[in-house]
């Protein structure tokens, strides 16, 4: 049975929701599920905007069939060729053999990689700024290379002022009946998932995402229809402001995130004492994460959110604790910058974690490493409490500045 949502008199959501998938892209935990969004426009011509992941393919095909109501499908616009959005292209071509595929030249090349049908016979190639009339609606296209694949583009409906934004403005989380962001408490229930989605999926490509935001800033936008998550029709400026911060690596708040890797709780104890001192010095909303129990995607998202980061690691096998090293390399790979960091380490017989962590930070852009640090051997001794206090004072002073 179909499950569709009406967006306006001519546009419908025909996607699907997967609440069974444990790991998005086989990497990122999605305890709240994920939506795969696709849209159909009914005009003099019929237009499908993207497809979905094969996990919700049957539902999607039923939805498209229902909305078309016996009409043929004239056009399919492909914004992004990642399989969670393109998996059903071949099925659409089989069911609607006369459909033409609106895409750019890079997308056509990728369609050849994924599928065996003759894309050259179906492709309507478009470039930046081209327009395409489908009746009352006039569509134009903006390229968004490396946001976050090289072929990505977005579509702007000049008639209804709707931006079909591909993976930009998306979010983890399933559709639970409500389609629009103003129908839920987005800041409380969705913002963390939206931030974690952006930082982990697109975060490395902040400069490229900024270019797309610059292009979109010249448009009058009444609605944003992303490929994951809720549709925006109200308070769009608020969400755009979040993206302006995330894409420029600007912290959302001046606060401290402490991340530690501990084997026998001694490093954890040192971190707890540091956090207590920070609170005494007036630092609010401190977060402390154990790198061995929290998935890196959550920590990376918090690192994008906060201004000051503290990393505390045991020395393990002559180097950084493995889970901590993995996280640091993730932060580096996602291009995190404009942060102030502090280092603490623990080594019973060979303290190297602190130095090696600083080496990684030194290779990252616009990262300030505080001179103060703490290095202990096995456990924190009473005489070293003053070092922890001094580090807390230096961090607190930096936060307040």
């Amino acid at each position: 049975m179909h499950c569709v949502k009406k967006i306006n008199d001519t546009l419908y959501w025909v996607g699907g929701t997967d609440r069974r998938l444990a790991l998005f892209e086989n990497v990122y935990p999605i305890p709240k599920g994920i939506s795969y969004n696709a849209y159909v426009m009914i005009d003099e011509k019929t237009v499908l905007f993207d497809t979905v992941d094969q996990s919700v393919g049957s539902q999607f095909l039923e939805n498209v069939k229902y909305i078309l109501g016996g009409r043929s499908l004239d056009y399919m616009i492909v914004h992004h060729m990642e399989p969670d959005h393109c998996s059903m292209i071949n099925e659409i071509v089989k069911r609607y053999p006369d459909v033409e595929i609106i895409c750019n030249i890079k997308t056509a090349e990728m369609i050849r990689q994924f599928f065996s049908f003759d894309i050259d016979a179906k492709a309507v190639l478009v470039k930046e700024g081209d327009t395409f009339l489908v009746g009352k609606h006039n569509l134009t296209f903006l390229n968004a290379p490396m946001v976050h694949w090289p072929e990505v583009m977005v579509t702007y409906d000049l008639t209804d002022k709707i931006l079909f934004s591909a993976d930009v403005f998306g979010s983890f989380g399933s559709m639970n009946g409500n389609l629009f962001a103003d129908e839920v408490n987005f800041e409380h229930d969705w913002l963390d998932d939206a931030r974690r989605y952006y930082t982990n999926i697109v975060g490395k490509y902040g400069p490229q995402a900024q270019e797309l935001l610059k292009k979109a800033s010249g448009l009058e936008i009444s609605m944003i229809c992303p490929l994951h998550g809720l549709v925006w029709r109200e308070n769009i400026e608020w969400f755009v402001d979040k993206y302006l911060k995330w894409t420029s690596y600007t912290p959302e708040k001046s606060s401290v995130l402490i991340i530690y890797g501990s084997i026998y709780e001694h490093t954890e104890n040192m971190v707890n004492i540091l956090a207590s001192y920070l609170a005494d010095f007036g630092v609010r909303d401190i977060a402390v994460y154990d790198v061995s129990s929290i998935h890196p995607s959550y920590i990376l998202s918090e690192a994008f959110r906060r201004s000051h980061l503290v990393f505390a690691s045991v020395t393990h096998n002559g180097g950084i604790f493995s889970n901590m090293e993995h996280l640091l390399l993730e932060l580096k790979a996602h291009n995190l910058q404009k942060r102030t960091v502090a280092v603490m380490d623990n080594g019973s017989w060979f303290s190297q974690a602190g130095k090696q962590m600083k080496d990684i930070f030194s290779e990252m852009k616009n990262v300030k490493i505080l001179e103060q640090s703490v290095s202990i051997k096995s456990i924190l001794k009473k005489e070293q409490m003053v070092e922890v206090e001094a580090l807390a004072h230096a961090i607190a002073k930096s936060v307040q500045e």
Side-chain angles (χ1 to χ4, degrees):
M1 182 61 67
H2 66 269
C3 182
V4 304
K5 297 289 291 186
K6 182 178 179 179
I7 295 176
N8 62 26
D9 289 340
T10 58
L11 186 66
Y12 300 85
W13 178 87
V14 293
T17 285
D18 189 348
R19 298 185 184 89
R20 296 185 178 186
L21 185 65
L23 296 174
F24 182 71
E25 295 185 355
N26 210 25
V27 177
Y28 309 106
I30 46 170
K32 296 180 182 178
I34 187 76
S35 73
Y36 302 103
N37 299 343
Y39 308 91
V40 168
M41 179 178 287
I42 303 296
D43 202 328
E44 293 176 18
K45 300 292 185 179
T46 57
V47 185
L48 170 65
F49 297 83
D50 298 296
T51 71
V52 298
D53 188 82
Q54 61 182 354
S55 64
V56 295
S58 296
Q59 180 71 72
F60 162 73
L61 292 172
E62 181 70 24
N63 291 345
V64 172
K65 179 181 178 181
Y66 171 78
I67 288 300
L68 290 178
R71 291 183 62 176
S72 63
L73 180 62
D74 297 304
Y75 300 107
M76 172 168 50
I77 298 177
V78 181
H79 293 115
H80 181 24
M81 278 299 296
E82 204 164 0
D84 57 330
H85 305 300
C86 80
S87 289
M88 302 305 292
I89 287 178
N90 200 52
E91 294 300 318
I92 288 293
V93 170
K94 287 180 181 178
R95 286 164 172 76
Y96 306 98
D98 295 328
V99 68
E100 294 184 86
I101 300 176
I102 300 174
C103 61
N104 60 45
I105 191 168
K106 290 184 179 179
T107 296
E109 292 170 359
M110 285 195 176
I111 289 175
R112 291 188 192 94
Q113 294 172 199
F114 279 99
F115 306 107
S116 58
F117 66 84
D118 185 4
I119 180 59
D120 294 328
K122 292 187 167 296
V124 178
L125 298 179
V126 294
K127 304 184 300 296
E128 173 104 16
D130 285 354
T131 58
F132 198 87
L133 196 63
V134 296
K136 294 181 179 179
H137 292 85
N138 193 15
L139 309 177
T140 189
F141 311 97
L142 303 173
N143 291 330
M146 297 316 302
V147 187
H148 53 119
W149 277 27
E151 85 299 351
V152 175
M153 71 177 190
V154 302
T155 297
Y156 178 64
D157 175 7
L158 290 156
T159 306
D160 287 341
K161 315 301 183 187
I162 298 175
L163 180 68
F164 297 89
S165 62
D167 270 345
V168 180
F169 300 113
S171 177
F172 295 133
S174 61
M175 294 292 193
N176 299 318
N178 299 121
L179 177 67
F180 298 102
D182 56 271
E183 295 177 324
V184 303
N185 187 339
F186 189 90
E187 186 168 8
H188 183 270
D189 297 328
W190 281 80
L191 180 57
D192 286 348
D193 280 318
R195 183 189 300 106
R196 189 164 66 92
Y197 174 83
Y198 170 79
T199 55
N200 284 274
I201 305 301
V202 187
K204 178 177 181 177
Y205 305 103
Q208 293 86 347
Q210 283 259 302
E211 285 299 313
L212 177 59
L213 292 179
K214 289 177 183 177
K215 294 178 183 180
S217 68
L219 305 175
E220 179 187 349
I221 298 175
S222 66
M223 193 178 299
I224 298 176
C225 293
L227 286 177
H228 296 291
L230 298 162
V231 172
W232 285 81
R233 62 183 178 182
E234 295 181 8
N235 207 18
I236 292 174
E237 297 82 3
W238 176 85
F239 199 33
V240 170
D241 181 66
K242 295 296 182 184
Y243 259 77
L244 289 172
K245 287 184 171 65
W246 298 342
T247 57
S248 62
Y249 307 98
T250 302
E252 290 177 65
K253 63 186 305 181
S254 293
S255 59
V256 179
L257 169 63
I258 307 173
I259 307 137
Y260 71 90
S262 185
I263 299 175
Y264 296 113
E265 301 180 1
H266 302 129
T267 305
E268 180 183 13
N269 178 62
M270 176 173 62
V271 160
N272 288 334
I273 293 169
L274 175 72
S276 182
Y277 276 130
L278 286 169
D280 291 343
F281 291 140
V283 179
R284 302 170 66 94
D285 192 28
I286 303 162
V288 181
Y289 284 171
D290 180 352
V291 76
S292 296
S293 61
I294 304 295
H295 191 272
S297 66
Y298 292 93
I299 302 176
L300 187 145
S301 179
E302 277 297 294
F304 266 74
R305 180 172 174 242
R306 297 171 183 267
S307 60
H308 289 68
L309 313 175
V310 181
F311 298 87
S313 176
V314 295
T315 296
H316 190 238
N317 288 331
I320 305 168
F321 185 55
S322 58
N323 292 343
M324 178 66 79
E325 183 176 29
H326 174 68
L327 172 67
L328 295 176
L329 294 177
E330 283 287 295
L331 296 176
K332 180 181 176 183
H334 284 78
N335 207 21
L336 183 69
Q337 52 191 273
K338 299 181 182 178
R339 297 301 185 274
T340 299
V341 303
V343 167
M344 310 174 83
D345 74 351
N346 182 1
S348 292
W349 48 273
F350 187 58
S351 295
Q352 284 292 301
K355 177 184 180 301
Q356 293 180 18
M357 287 192 291
K358 288 181 179 179
D359 288 343
I360 292 175
F361 296 134
S362 68
E363 298 172 352
M364 297 169 65
K365 298 177 182 177
N366 301 318
V367 171
K368 177 183 178 182
I369 306 173
L370 290 181
E371 291 183 9
Q372 290 86 352
S373 63
V374 178
S375 181
I376 66 172
K377 291 186 176 180
S378 301
I379 65 171
L380 180 67
K381 295 297 183 65
K382 182 178 180 180
E383 58 268 22
Q384 286 189 288
M385 291 284 283
V386 65
E387 297 178 30
V388 179
E389 183 178 8
L391 177 59
H393 185 269
I395 296 168
K397 181 180 179 182
S398 180
V399 169
Q400 289 156 8
E401 290 175 349

CSV table of all heavy atoms in Angstrom, one decimal, residues 5-9 11-13 37 39 162 175-186 190 222-226 229-234:
chain,number,residue,atom,x,y,z
A,5,LYS,N,3.2,11.7,1.1
A,5,LYS,CA,2.9,12.9,1.8
A,5,LYS,C,2.8,14.1,0.8
A,5,LYS,O,3.6,14.2,-0.1
A,5,LYS,CB,4.0,13.3,2.8
A,5,LYS,CG,4.1,12.2,3.9
A,5,LYS,CD,3.0,12.2,4.9
A,5,LYS,CE,2.9,13.5,5.7
A,5,LYS,NZ,1.9,13.4,6.8
A,6,LYS,N,1.7,14.8,0.9
A,6,LYS,CA,1.5,16.0,0.0
A,6,LYS,C,2.3,17.2,0.5
A,6,LYS,O,2.2,17.5,1.7
A,6,LYS,CB,0.0,16.3,-0.1
A,6,LYS,CG,-0.3,17.5,-1.0
A,6,LYS,CD,-1.8,17.7,-1.0
A,6,LYS,CE,-2.1,18.9,-2.0
A,6,LYS,NZ,-3.6,19.2,-2.0
A,7,ILE,N,3.1,17.8,-0.3
A,7,ILE,CA,3.9,19.0,0.0
A,7,ILE,C,3.1,20.2,-0.4
A,7,ILE,O,3.0,21.2,0.3
A,7,ILE,CB,5.3,18.9,-0.6
A,7,ILE,CG1,6.0,17.7,0.0
A,7,ILE,CG2,6.0,20.2,-0.4
A,7,ILE,CD1,7.4,17.4,-0.6
A,8,ASN,N,2.7,20.2,-1.6
A,8,ASN,CA,1.8,21.3,-2.1
A,8,ASN,C,0.9,20.7,-3.2
A,8,ASN,O,0.9,19.4,-3.4
A,8,ASN,CB,2.5,22.5,-2.6
A,8,ASN,CG,3.4,22.3,-3.8
A,8,ASN,OD1,3.2,21.4,-4.6
A,8,ASN,ND2,4.5,23.1,-3.9
A,9,ASP,N,0.2,21.5,-3.9
A,9,ASP,CA,-0.8,20.9,-4.9
A,9,ASP,C,-0.2,20.2,-6.0
A,9,ASP,O,-0.8,19.4,-6.7
A,9,ASP,CB,-1.6,22.1,-5.5
A,9,ASP,CG,-2.6,22.7,-4.5
A,9,ASP,OD1,-2.9,22.0,-3.5
A,9,ASP,OD2,-3.1,23.8,-4.6
A,11,LEU,N,3.4,18.8,-5.7
A,11,LEU,CA,4.6,18.1,-5.3
A,11,LEU,C,4.3,17.2,-4.1
A,11,LEU,O,3.6,17.5,-3.2
A,11,LEU,CB,5.6,19.2,-4.8
A,11,LEU,CG,7.0,18.6,-4.5
A,11,LEU,CD1,7.7,18.0,-5.7
A,11,LEU,CD2,7.9,19.7,-3.9
A,12,TYR,N,4.8,16.0,-4.2
A,12,TYR,CA,4.6,14.9,-3.3
A,12,TYR,C,5.9,14.2,-2.9
A,12,TYR,O,6.8,14.0,-3.7
A,12,TYR,CB,3.6,13.9,-3.9
A,12,TYR,CG,2.3,14.5,-4.3
A,12,TYR,CD1,2.1,15.1,-5.5
A,12,TYR,CD2,1.2,14.4,-3.4
A,12,TYR,CE1,0.9,15.6,-5.9
A,12,TYR,CE2,0.0,15.0,-3.8
A,12,TYR,CZ,-0.2,15.6,-5.0
A,12,TYR,OH,-1.4,16.1,-5.4
A,13,TRP,N,5.9,13.9,-1.6
A,13,TRP,CA,7.0,13.0,-1.1
A,13,TRP,C,6.7,11.6,-1.3
A,13,TRP,O,5.6,11.1,-1.0
A,13,TRP,CB,7.2,13.3,0.4
A,13,TRP,CG,8.3,12.4,1.1
A,13,TRP,CD1,9.6,12.7,1.2
A,13,TRP,CD2,8.1,11.2,1.8
A,13,TRP,NE1,10.3,11.7,1.9
A,13,TRP,CE2,9.4,10.8,2.3
A,13,TRP,CE3,7.0,10.4,2.1
A,13,TRP,CZ2,9.6,9.6,3.0
A,13,TRP,CZ3,7.2,9.2,2.8
A,13,TRP,CH2,8.4,8.9,3.3
A,37,ASN,N,14.5,10.3,0.9
A,37,ASN,CA,13.5,11.1,0.3
A,37,ASN,C,13.6,11.2,-1.2
A,37,ASN,O,14.7,11.2,-1.8
A,37,ASN,CB,13.7,12.6,0.8
A,37,ASN,CG,13.5,12.7,2.3
A,37,ASN,OD1,13.0,11.8,3.0
A,37,ASN,ND2,14.0,13.8,2.9
A,39,TYR,N,10.8,12.8,-4.5
A,39,TYR,CA,9.7,13.6,-4.7
A,39,TYR,C,9.2,13.5,-6.2
A,39,TYR,O,10.0,13.3,-7.1
A,39,TYR,CB,10.1,15.1,-4.5
A,39,TYR,CG,10.8,15.3,-3.1
A,39,TYR,CD1,12.2,15.2,-3.0
A,39,TYR,CD2,10.1,15.6,-2.0
A,39,TYR,CE1,12.8,15.4,-1.8
A,39,TYR,CE2,10.7,15.8,-0.8
A,39,TYR,CZ,12.1,15.7,-0.7
A,39,TYR,OH,12.7,15.9,0.5
A,162,ILE,N,11.3,26.4,-4.5
A,162,ILE,CA,11.7,25.2,-3.7
A,162,ILE,C,13.1,24.8,-4.1
A,162,ILE,O,13.4,24.7,-5.3
A,162,ILE,CB,10.7,24.1,-3.9
A,162,ILE,CG1,9.3,24.5,-3.4
A,162,ILE,CG2,11.2,22.8,-3.2
A,162,ILE,CD1,8.3,23.4,-3.7
A,175,MET,N,11.2,9.2,9.3
A,175,MET,CA,10.0,9.9,9.3
A,175,MET,C,8.9,9.2,10.1
A,175,MET,O,8.7,8.0,10.0
A,175,MET,CB,9.5,10.0,7.8
A,175,MET,CG,10.4,10.8,6.9
A,175,MET,SD,10.4,12.6,7.3
A,175,MET,CE,11.2,13.2,5.8
A,176,ASN,N,8.3,10.0,11.0
A,176,ASN,CA,7.3,9.4,11.9
A,176,ASN,C,6.0,10.0,11.7
A,176,ASN,O,5.3,10.4,12.6
A,176,ASN,CB,7.8,9.5,13.4
A,176,ASN,CG,9.1,8.8,13.6
A,176,ASN,OD1,9.3,7.7,13.2
A,176,ASN,ND2,10.0,9.4,14.4
A,177,GLY,N,5.6,10.2,10.4
A,177,GLY,CA,4.3,10.8,10.1
A,177,GLY,C,4.5,12.3,9.7
A,177,GLY,O,3.9,12.7,8.7
A,178,ASN,N,5.2,13.0,10.5
A,178,ASN,CA,5.5,14.4,10.3
A,178,ASN,C,6.6,14.5,9.2
A,178,ASN,O,7.6,13.9,9.3
A,178,ASN,CB,6.0,15.1,11.5
A,178,ASN,CG,4.9,15.1,12.6
A,178,ASN,OD1,5.2,14.6,13.7
A,178,ASN,ND2,3.7,15.6,12.4
A,179,LEU,N,6.3,15.3,8.2
A,179,LEU,CA,7.2,15.6,7.1
A,179,LEU,C,8.0,16.9,7.2
A,179,LEU,O,9.1,17.0,6.8
A,179,LEU,CB,6.4,15.6,5.7
A,179,LEU,CG,7.2,15.9,4.5
A,179,LEU,CD1,8.2,14.7,4.2
A,179,LEU,CD2,6.3,16.1,3.3
A,180,PHE,N,7.4,17.9,7.9
A,180,PHE,CA,7.9,19.2,7.9
A,180,PHE,C,8.6,19.5,9.2
A,180,PHE,O,8.2,19.0,10.3
A,180,PHE,CB,6.9,20.3,7.7
A,180,PHE,CG,6.2,20.1,6.3
A,180,PHE,CD1,4.9,19.6,6.2
A,180,PHE,CD2,6.8,20.6,5.2
A,180,PHE,CE1,4.3,19.5,5.0
A,180,PHE,CE2,6.2,20.5,3.9
A,180,PHE,CZ,5.0,19.9,3.8
A,181,ALA,N,9.7,20.2,9.2
A,181,ALA,CA,10.5,20.5,10.4
A,181,ALA,C,9.7,21.3,11.4
A,181,ALA,O,10.0,21.1,12.6
A,181,ALA,CB,11.8,21.2,10.0
A,182,ASP,N,8.8,22.1,11.0
A,182,ASP,CA,8.0,22.9,11.9
A,182,ASP,C,6.9,22.1,12.6
A,182,ASP,O,6.2,22.6,13.5
A,182,ASP,CB,7.4,24.1,11.2
A,182,ASP,CG,6.5,23.7,10.0
A,182,ASP,OD1,7.1,23.5,8.9
A,182,ASP,OD2,5.3,23.4,10.2
A,183,GLU,N,6.8,20.8,12.2
A,183,GLU,CA,5.8,19.9,12.9
A,183,GLU,C,6.4,19.1,14.1
A,183,GLU,O,5.7,18.4,14.7
A,183,GLU,CB,5.2,18.9,11.9
A,183,GLU,CG,4.4,19.6,10.8
A,183,GLU,CD,3.9,18.5,9.7
A,183,GLU,OE1,4.7,17.6,9.4
A,183,GLU,OE2,2.8,18.7,9.2
A,184,VAL,N,7.7,19.3,14.3
A,184,VAL,CA,8.4,18.6,15.4
A,184,VAL,C,9.2,19.7,16.2
A,184,VAL,O,9.3,20.8,15.8
A,184,VAL,CB,9.3,17.5,14.8
A,184,VAL,CG1,8.6,16.5,14.0
A,184,VAL,CG2,10.5,18.1,14.0
A,185,ASN,N,9.7,19.2,17.3
A,185,ASN,CA,10.6,20.1,18.1
A,185,ASN,C,12.0,19.8,17.6
A,185,ASN,O,12.8,19.0,18.1
A,185,ASN,CB,10.5,19.8,19.6
A,185,ASN,CG,11.3,20.7,20.5
A,185,ASN,OD1,12.2,21.4,20.0
A,185,ASN,ND2,11.0,20.8,21.7
A,186,PHE,N,12.3,20.5,16.5
A,186,PHE,CA,13.6,20.1,15.8
A,186,PHE,C,14.8,20.3,16.6
A,186,PHE,O,15.7,19.5,16.7
A,186,PHE,CB,13.7,20.9,14.5
A,186,PHE,CG,14.8,20.5,13.6
A,186,PHE,CD1,14.6,19.5,12.6
A,186,PHE,CD2,16.1,21.0,13.7
A,186,PHE,CE1,15.6,19.0,11.8
A,186,PHE,CE2,17.1,20.6,12.9
A,186,PHE,CZ,16.9,19.6,11.9
A,190,TRP,N,15.9,16.7,16.8
A,190,TRP,CA,16.5,16.5,15.6
A,190,TRP,C,17.9,17.1,15.3
A,190,TRP,O,18.7,16.6,14.5
A,190,TRP,CB,15.6,16.9,14.4
A,190,TRP,CG,14.4,15.9,14.1
A,190,TRP,CD1,13.3,15.8,14.8
A,190,TRP,CD2,14.4,15.0,13.1
A,190,TRP,NE1,12.5,14.8,14.3
A,190,TRP,CE2,13.1,14.3,13.2
A,190,TRP,CE3,15.2,14.7,12.0
A,190,TRP,CZ2,12.7,13.3,12.3
A,190,TRP,CZ3,14.8,13.7,11.1
A,190,TRP,CH2,13.6,13.0,11.3
A,222,SER,N,11.5,29.3,-0.4
A,222,SER,CA,10.3,29.1,0.4
A,222,SER,C,10.3,27.8,1.0
A,222,SER,O,9.6,27.5,2.0
A,222,SER,CB,9.0,29.3,-0.4
A,222,SER,OG,8.9,28.3,-1.4
A,223,MET,N,11.1,26.8,0.5
A,223,MET,CA,11.1,25.5,1.0
A,223,MET,C,12.4,24.8,0.6
A,223,MET,O,12.9,25.0,-0.5
A,223,MET,CB,9.9,24.7,0.5
A,223,MET,CG,9.6,23.4,1.1
A,223,MET,SD,8.1,22.6,0.5
A,223,MET,CE,6.8,23.8,0.8
A,224,ILE,N,12.9,23.9,1.5
A,224,ILE,CA,14.0,23.1,1.2
A,224,ILE,C,13.6,21.6,1.3
A,224,ILE,O,13.1,21.2,2.3
A,224,ILE,CB,15.2,23.4,2.2
A,224,ILE,CG1,15.7,24.8,2.0
A,224,ILE,CG2,16.4,22.4,1.9
A,224,ILE,CD1,16.8,25.2,3.0
A,225,CYS,N,13.9,20.8,0.2
A,225,CYS,CA,13.6,19.4,0.2
A,225,CYS,C,14.9,18.6,0.1
A,225,CYS,O,15.4,18.5,-1.0
A,225,CYS,CB,12.7,19.1,-1.0
A,225,CYS,SG,11.0,19.8,-0.9
A,226,PRO,N,15.4,18.1,1.2
A,226,PRO,CA,16.7,17.4,1.2
A,226,PRO,C,16.4,15.9,0.9
A,226,PRO,O,15.3,15.4,0.8
A,226,PRO,CB,17.2,17.5,2.6
A,226,PRO,CG,16.0,17.6,3.4
A,226,PRO,CD,14.9,18.3,2.6
A,229,GLY,N,15.8,13.2,5.9
A,229,GLY,CA,15.3,14.1,6.9
A,229,GLY,C,14.1,15.0,6.5
A,229,GLY,O,13.5,14.8,5.5
A,230,LEU,N,13.8,15.9,7.4
A,230,LEU,CA,12.6,16.7,7.3
A,230,LEU,C,12.7,17.8,6.2
A,230,LEU,O,13.7,18.3,5.9
A,230,LEU,CB,12.3,17.3,8.6
A,230,LEU,CG,12.0,16.3,9.7
A,230,LEU,CD1,12.1,17.0,11.1
A,230,LEU,CD2,10.6,15.7,9.6
A,231,VAL,N,11.5,18.2,5.7
A,231,VAL,CA,11.4,19.3,4.7
A,231,VAL,C,11.2,20.6,5.5
A,231,VAL,O,10.5,20.7,6.5
A,231,VAL,CB,10.2,19.0,3.8
A,231,VAL,CG1,9.9,20.2,2.9
A,231,VAL,CG2,10.4,17.8,2.9
A,232,TRP,N,11.9,21.6,5.0
A,232,TRP,CA,11.9,22.9,5.7
A,232,TRP,C,11.0,23.9,4.9
A,232,TRP,O,11.2,24.1,3.7
A,232,TRP,CB,13.3,23.5,5.8
A,232,TRP,CG,14.1,22.8,6.9
A,232,TRP,CD1,14.7,21.6,6.8
A,232,TRP,CD2,14.2,23.2,8.2
A,232,TRP,NE1,15.3,21.2,8.0
A,232,TRP,CE2,15.0,22.2,8.9
A,232,TRP,CE3,13.8,24.4,8.9
A,232,TRP,CZ2,15.4,22.4,10.2
A,232,TRP,CZ3,14.2,24.5,10.2
A,232,TRP,CH2,14.9,23.5,10.9
A,233,ARG,N,10.1,24.5,5.6
A,233,ARG,CA,9.2,25.6,5.0
A,233,ARG,C,9.1,26.8,5.9
A,233,ARG,O,8.5,27.8,5.5
A,233,ARG,CB,7.8,25.0,4.7
A,233,ARG,CG,7.1,24.5,5.9
A,233,ARG,CD,5.7,23.9,5.6
A,233,ARG,NE,5.1,23.5,6.8
A,233,ARG,CZ,3.9,22.8,6.8
A,233,ARG,NH1,3.3,22.6,5.7
A,233,ARG,NH2,3.4,22.4,8.0
A,234,GLU,N,9.5,26.7,7.2
A,234,GLU,CA,9.5,27.8,8.1
A,234,GLU,C,10.8,27.9,8.8
A,234,GLU,O,11.6,26.9,9.0
A,234,GLU,CB,8.4,27.6,9.2
A,234,GLU,CG,7.0,27.6,8.6
A,234,GLU,CD,5.9,27.5,9.7
A,234,GLU,OE1,6.3,27.5,10.9
A,234,GLU,OE2,4.7,27.3,9.4
